[in-house]
Amino acid sequence: HPHPSDHQDNCPMYTKQNKPFRHTFWQYRRENPNTRVGDPPPTGLPGFNSGVMLLNLEAMRQSKLYNHLLEPEGVHQLAEKYHFKGHLGDQDFFTMIGMEHIDLFYVLDCVWNRQLCTWWKDHGYHDIFDQYFKCDRPVKIYHGNCNTPIPED
């Protein structure tokens, strides 16, 4: 896996993929049955979690595409296309633009934002939860979302 600094000139955001967006894109997925939108890694586009992010602010400021996407018209176009109605603020925004412009992101390995919440396993994702949750490498940063305890190791 390349290092984020290898992409510093063309990749303004570095973030970790996330699982709870599959249901958010239900209508788009129904209309586009062969889409990768909402599918699990490594080949899918599951969405992003902003618990750990590295932002290349200079690249963000200089990116014409990113700045267009900040405009109400840019947001509206993507929201309409993907039938997107989010409720998680920055995660929603980055997820929505990532469905269309994944090249704006460098996806961090799961070890840099190891989410511990298993709520989705019992709420609609039981059969595919492990495809999103799996992380077999030594963890660097734990993310105690859903009030989960952080391991002591």
Side-chain angles (χ1 to χ4, degrees):
H1 211 44
H3 190 273
S5 64
D6 296 341
H7 300 281
Q8 65 186 2
D9 293 332
N10 62 0
C11 188
M13 294 165 281
Y14 310 96
T15 188
K16 163 73 174 75
Q17 291 184 319
N18 198 25
K19 60 196 145 296
F21 291 101
R22 184 179 180 97
H23 69 279
T24 306
F25 290 106
W26 71 268
Q27 187 173 351
Y28 181 83
R29 291 174 54 80
R30 187 179 67 196
E31 294 170 2
N32 300 275
N34 295 321
T35 188
R36 299 178 340 160
V37 169
D39 280 353
T43 58
L45 298 169
F48 293 112
N49 177 276
S50 60
V52 174
M53 294 180 68
L54 302 171
L55 302 175
N56 183 335
L57 298 177
E58 190 59 32
M60 292 170 82
R61 289 183 195 110
Q62 291 181 6
S63 170
K64 289 179 182 175
L65 173 59
Y66 179 73
N67 282 285
H68 167 71
L69 295 169
L70 288 174
E71 297 294 327
E73 178 184 325
V75 173
H76 180 74
Q77 286 173 349
L78 289 178
E80 287 291 311
K81 177 178 180 175
Y82 292 102
H83 309 289
F84 195 87
K85 294 180 177 28
H87 64 282
L88 297 173
D90 59 338
Q91 291 183 168
D92 289 333
F93 176 70
F94 295 138
T95 291
M96 188 172 61
I97 66 174
M99 296 302 122
E100 190 85 6
H101 303 286
I102 193 66
D103 54 312
L104 288 175
F105 299 88
Y106 175 88
V107 178
L108 294 173
D109 189 82
C110 63
V111 303
W112 293 106
N113 186 4
R114 179 63 171 117
Q115 297 172 62
L116 301 173
C117 180
T118 59
W119 187 87
W120 289 103
K121 188 170 192 165
D122 298 324
H123 295 89
Y125 283 83
H126 182 72
D127 57 335
I128 58 170
F129 180 81
D130 290 336
Q131 293 176 50
Y132 292 89
F133 194 72
K134 184 179 179 179
C135 186
D136 294 332
R137 292 166 302 289
V139 174
K140 308 287 186 194
I141 299 175
Y142 286 107
H143 183 158
N145 49 347
C146 299
N147 296 318
T148 52
I150 303 294
E152 304 239 353
D153 61 355

